[in-house]
Amino acid sequence: MTLSIAIQVQIHLPKLIAEQSCTLAFSRILDSEEILIAYNTSTTERRSDFVIVDSTIQKNGGTMKFLYGKEGSVTVEKHPYPGNPCLFVHIDLEPMQFVILQQTR
């Protein structure tokens, strides 16, 4: 017997048009440590976005500290809808600001 599973993934590239700026964010995971990178593509507007983090590594109420681009830390938060297991951090970015965050142990 052969079992086949189809997985559909949709990835949208950011549209770097002046009217359609975005926050470009991704993370790198090594063993059990997550590093988050985020960049505001707008040249004129501030952005305030919620970025999903890995829920198998991060914990609700944990923190991620800024390694580059900003001082301090942000709190890992749980989605307000009880059925949604996603965890996220809320990041405020100045125009063209680039930040790197690391989970705090």
Side-chain angles (χ1 to χ4, degrees):
M1 179 193 317
T2 304
L3 176 66
S4 80
I5 299 172
I7 298 175
Q8 181 179 6
V9 177
Q10 294 183 1
I11 298 174
H12 301 279
L13 296 175
K15 296 179 181 179
L16 299 179
I17 301 172
E19 305 85 38
Q20 295 182 335
S21 61
C22 69
T23 294
L24 178 62
F26 61 94
S27 69
R28 306 308 294 162
I29 298 171
L30 179 60
D31 192 24
S32 62
E33 183 175 54
E34 181 173 25
I35 301 290
L36 178 68
I37 293 102
Y39 174 67
N40 177 2
T41 64
S42 174
T43 58
T44 58
E45 300 294 322
R46 297 171 124 176
R47 291 194 56 88
S48 180
D49 291 300
F50 298 95
V51 179
I52 293 176
V53 294
D54 190 297
S55 61
T56 61
I57 295 175
Q58 304 294 342
K59 302 295 179 227
N60 184 31
T63 58
M64 295 189 81
K65 65 179 177 179
F66 288 95
L67 296 178
Y68 178 83
K70 205 168 190 178
E71 302 236 349
S73 62
V74 292
T75 302
V76 177
E77 302 177 53
K78 186 176 180 183
H79 195 281
Y81 178 70
N84 190 330
C86 290
L87 296 177
F88 61 87
V89 291
H90 185 195
I91 301 176
D92 295 314
L93 297 171
E94 297 295 325
M96 299 192 68
Q97 186 176 14
F98 174 85
V99 294
I100 300 174
L101 297 98
Q102 177 184 33
Q103 70 191 78
T104 307
R105 297 199 180 262

